[in-house]
Amino acid sequence: MSQLLNSSFTPTTPSLRRQCHSLTPRKSTQIQAKIREIFMPALSSTMTEGKIVSWIKSEGDKLSKGESVVVVESDKADMDVETFYDGYLAAIMVEEGGVAAVGSAIALLAETEVEIAQAVSKAKDQGSVSPAAPSQELPVEPKVPDSAPVAAVAKAAEALTASTHPASEGGKRVVASPYAKKLAKELNVDLSGVVGSGPMGRVVAKDVEAAVVASAVAVAEPVMPVTSAPGVESGSVVPFTTMQGAVSRNMVESLGVPTFRVGYTITTDALDALYKKIKSKGVTMTALLAKATALALAKHPVVNSSCRDGKSFTYNSNINVAVAVAIDGGLITPVLQNADKVDIYSLSRKWKELVDKARAKQLQPHEYSTGTFTLSNLGMFGVDRFDAILPPGTGAIMAVGASEPAVVATKDGRIGMKTQMQVNVTADHRVIYGADLAQFLQTLAKIIEDPKDLTF
Amino acid sequence: MNSAISLSLSSASPITVRSYDGAASSSSSSDLFFRNNSAPSQLRFCGLKREAFSGCKSSSNAVLLKQLRQNTKISASLSGNGTPSKGFDYDLVIIGAGVGGHGAALHAVEKGLKTAIIEGDVVGGTCVNRGCVPSKALLAVSGRMRELQNEHHMKSFGLQVAAAGYDRQGVADHAENLATKIRNNLTNSLKSLGVDILAGVGTVVGPQKVKYGKVGGSETVITAKDIIIATGSVPFVPKGVEVDGKTVITSDHALKLETVPEWIVIVGSGYIGLEFSDVYTALGSEVTFVEALDQLMPGFDPEIGKLAQRVLINPRKIDYHTGVFATKITPAKDGKPVTIELIDAKTKEPKDTLEVDAALIATGRAPFTQGLGLENVNVETQRGFIPVDERMRVIDSKGELVPHLYCIGDANGKMMLAHAASAQGISVVEQVSGKDHVLNHLSIPAACFTHPEISMVGLTEPQAREKAEKEGFEIGIAKTSFKANTKALAENEGEGIAKLIYRPDNGEILGVHIFGMHAADLIHEASNAIALGTRVQDIKYAVHAHPTLSEVIDELFKSAKVKNDVSCAVAEPIAV
């Protein structure tokens, strides 16, 4: 409730205002502050988060007490919300369509015009860390094309493929269907590089999705068993499918990233024991590995970062572990979002759901394109060690081999048998250095060798 | 009190009390043609109501109701077409058997007028054959498709549905069958009343004289005491647009649903465009709107339009260009797609070129008034519309009334809605049978049958504000949300609002706008209140069944704040 108390807003609809009075004292506790934060108000007793329907005022507008500033959608209704203070709407932190928790800041109110600039910089600081500003539909700022992971892929693709659309005027004009455009905006895909497969070579939704998959999936190994597949005629030339074409582009793209590899051997006896114990509760080995990786990433944020423009680190706010899965005719990487925070049982359930969806080809773009770190496991095929190619837009990928009994010498001079697996991380050396990976792997080994943290 | 008087006048129109059975029983429903399901025998009721209201200048409902009750005892019998006045073939000849002409004919027979209706095409006109009726069939399909495809929606009900699919021909047949059925109903209702249906194109040849006949065939001249022109409208196609009926189409073609294009441009984002975007996106098309004005849905209350855009446009596979004209639209041929050239509506500079699979021209409708022989009575059309006064009497080029000639419906352009045409027709019949009558157009509701629906009656907020400023009164706005309605939540359809614009000083209802589930059916409580002059402070005591969507409107009336809480109802108690 303490967050509510600071709200400088109250709804204008009388019936609800009444309700709000009891919840929200009119006096702000931040009277001294010249720059006030505008909070998501509680419009009903059951409201936990609100969606910004529209901003009635724009940044820089002068506000006077009692004026409606923003329309908020709660669990009950859309409500005009008015300000208690005179001032200037300095910065909007949650854009239209964005969702914010009750009590979190959605905008900044400056008392004088002079303070607007100050407020704007404050908003920027907060915006980068604030978890309360995820706007799904509307990216806060249209990103520089090069900074988007897919865009990079797309750029490369452009050089490789000429669009065949007659209206594209040699690639100057992009012809994309309404839904393709919408998706591209949502997923941050630069359409100028996406090859259209629709009528007249127009870009349609599935092309955009393929471009995203490709960027997320660009893992090197062909996970498909290479036994001569039925239906393939020897001596024939079969053109790539859209997805295979995208994978191909990504593979070429990856050559532009200076990668290196660090390997580690991890003893898995304790993990195996834990797995046996909780297997009956639906926990899978994949979920356990993803969880362990996520916990290690939480301690080494740099390994979860990426280099998007060649000039800076992009530290991701969430730890989303993508896991490569072989599917019919290709490869996809369903993403376990916030794997460090979600408990192992939920994570296992989520994984099962994602795999089912992947098989049915029903994965939504956000379920396969938002990974910040990738796992690829070929252990089930008996592979003991291998090497993965880094998917563009991410910083590192870990190749996991089979867990196998090995004879080892222990410190006390004995010889014993332990179950061990080899992991091999490929990383972008522009942001992740050898020592970073070494420390990350050390932490990971500790977690796996003493897995009590995995179950909380 | 000027407005009160005009309101009570309009309440004298039988349209508000006309009673039919059948699904869509109110004739102020947008889909008026449903009424022909009713047996003609019920029409006698209308005449009585008219008696009940006659001479009534009070806006007190109680009095009206009381008279009505007394009068119902003396049921007048009525049968068949009347006998014509001396020297004329008919008392009334109506040119055009659309919904407007049909409504007028039915009422004329009831008034004992010998009536003929001339139709050059098919009975039912645009609404039944190429408009509201078949489009409702398509929208019924799109509504279900949308629901079945919405996995999240189904899941929230605990329902599991395998992938929904459709058969295009089956959908098209449903629309065609519905139109045929309604057309037959309409024809039968005219025939059973004894209205003469004269086949051919009708032309006015002089005062009180009309000729009709098939093009190139023999023509017959008939005389009539009064003539109503009700020739309706056709889709308006701007110049530069080449309609081929396959890839560049109008609503006439679209309703046949011969194809479902992958990507279709809809030029115009009014009722027609919006409804088709609902149909096409539900069937899997992607849609691009081209709108000449700066915002989509220009005819709607801005607030409703904004919300509608958030629900009907943004989450769907639709994008749009606003503030642009489509100057040139070329159909697909020789392997080339449909091309659409756009220019900036203000600067006239080329903006963009679209290449798509199909284009639907939904830029409104143009009056169908050519070949009517208007020159024979010195009438000049204005942009094709026939000029009329508030009583639908045709005005000639000198600004004088043409005796015995009336024009109703889309051809006069006052309010291009099927039910408005019918109401105007009834108003004219009232006049020619000796009763002065002026229709209150502000009480005529309108609806757009998207999912969810949009409906409105009276003024929009900007219109009301303008009027308020001019006449020096305050306006009040009340809003309620479907999110707070039990029935809406039970249906998982909480998206929507209702908005009331009223005068806080006397409680007069100026306008009501609804966006939400079944909005088109919910509007009539408001339109009836406006037609009967009922004030907010009175109607708020009316009881609504719980839980129903109508409680959204109940809440709306209850949340209005009328300063001077004087009730103008119930002069004396009524026994029930």
Side-chain angles (χ1 to χ4, degrees), chain B residues 185-196:
Chain B
N185 286 351
L186 222 62
T187 312
N188 292 341
S189 73
L190 288 172
K191 280 185 182 155
S192 67
L193 282 175
V195 174
D196 290 344

Side-chain angles (χ1 to χ4, degrees), chain B residues 56-310:
Chain B
C56 175
K57 292 281 176 205
S58 156
S59 61
S60 158
N61 323 352
V63 176
L64 298 182
L65 286 167
K66 190 152 180 278
Q67 289 181 356
L68 172 79
R69 287 176 56 78
Q70 286 163 352
N71 280 318
T72 45
K73 290 172 200 156
I74 41 158
S75 185
S77 69
L78 173 94
S79 63
N81 213 340
T83 44
S85 309
K86 265 197 179 154
F88 292 108
D89 297 328
Y90 291 97
D91 290 318
L92 181 66
V93 165
I94 301 160
I95 306 176
V99 166
H102 177 261
L106 253 56
H107 194 60
V109 170
E110 185 198 321
K111 306 297 287 185
L113 304 178
K114 184 165 171 58
T115 310
I117 196 161
I118 300 173
E119 179 54 60
D121 188 18
V122 283
V123 172
T126 296
C127 173
V128 173
N129 300 294
R130 299 172 300 272
C132 346
V133 173
S135 69
K136 290 311 96 61
L138 297 183
L139 283 158
V141 175
S142 77
R144 281 177 175 79
M145 273 303 280
R146 212 170 270 296
E147 219 173 328
L148 293 172
Q149 284 167 341
N150 189 340
E151 208 182 311
H152 173 72
H153 186 83
M154 284 294 158
K155 225 174 173 176
S156 63
F157 280 123
L159 289 177
Q160 288 165 353
V161 179
Y166 69 92
D167 161 35
R168 184 198 53 76
Q169 193 55 47
V171 179
D173 289 348
H174 174 51
E176 175 61 28
N177 294 342
L178 179 68
T180 309
K181 189 171 184 174
I182 302 300
R183 182 166 63 236
N184 291 340
N185 286 351
L186 222 62
T187 312
N188 292 341
S189 73
L190 288 172
K191 280 185 182 155
S192 67
L193 282 175
V195 174
D196 290 344
I197 304 176
L198 311 174
V201 178
T203 310
V204 178
V205 288
Q208 300 177 296
K209 207 176 279 175
V210 177
K211 72 171 182 195
Y212 72 95
K214 297 259 187 262
V215 176
S218 63
E219 287 178 330
T220 315
V221 176
I222 49 172
T223 55
K225 188 166 157 285
D226 293 288
I227 299 165
I228 296 179
I229 296 170
T231 44
S233 61
V234 292
F236 170 67
V237 178
K239 70 174 197 309
V241 177
E242 190 188 324
V243 172
D244 71 345
K246 295 264 183 303
T247 56
V248 179
I249 58 178
T250 66
S251 57
D252 287 1
H253 311 104
L255 287 165
K256 293 183 186 145
L257 202 73
E258 279 169 355
T259 54
V260 178
E262 272 183 53
W263 182 5
I264 185 166
V265 159
I266 299 181
V267 185
S269 65
Y271 294 76
I272 301 172
L274 262 186
E275 290 191 351
F276 274 109
S277 78
D278 197 283
V279 171
Y280 279 122
T281 52
L283 299 183
S285 302
E286 295 179 31
V287 169
T288 297
F289 271 120
V290 170
E291 171 60 56
L293 295 174
D294 284 338
Q295 63 176 52
L296 291 176
M297 296 174 258
F300 298 92
D301 183 89
E303 196 171 0
I304 299 286
K306 222 166 146 189
L307 180 63
Q309 180 166 342
R310 206 150 61 70

Side-chain angles (χ1 to χ4, degrees), chain A residues 290-315:
Chain A
K291 181 76 190 171
T293 308
L295 289 179
L297 285 171
K299 290 185 179 148
H300 303 277
V302 72
V303 183
N304 195 44
S305 75
S306 62
C307 180
R308 294 185 179 175
D309 54 1
K311 282 179 264 176
S312 62
F313 294 81
T314 302
Y315 288 103

Side-chain angles (χ1 to χ4, degrees), chain A residues 76 78 177 179 182 202, chain B residues 286 310 314 316 318 483:
Chain A
K76 295 259 164 53
D78 291 358
S177 81
Y179 187 44
K182 239 171 223 190
R202 129 198 348 152
Chain B
E286 295 179 31
R310 206 150 61 70
N314 296 349
R316 297 186 180 170
I318 301 176
K483 274 197 188 105

Side-chain angles (χ1 to χ4, degrees), chain A residues 53-54 73-78 80 165-167 173 175-182 199-200 202 205, chain B residues 262-263 286-288 306-307 310 313-314 316-319 335 337 352-353 355-357 481 483-484 495:
Chain A
V53 174
S54 60
E73 180 187 86
S74 76
D75 52 346
K76 295 259 164 53
D78 291 358
D80 286 11
H165 197 290
R173 231 164 65 86
V175 180
S177 81
Y179 187 44
K181 280 187 217 152
K182 239 171 223 190
M200 314 279 169
R202 129 198 348 152
Chain B
E262 272 183 53
W263 182 5
E286 295 179 31
V287 169
T288 297
K306 222 166 146 189
L307 180 63
R310 206 150 61 70
I313 309 279
N314 296 349
R316 297 186 180 170
K317 295 175 181 177
I318 301 176
D319 68 352
D352 211 341
T353 304
E355 298 192 357
V356 294
D357 301 320
S481 167
K483 274 197 188 105
E495 196 85 65

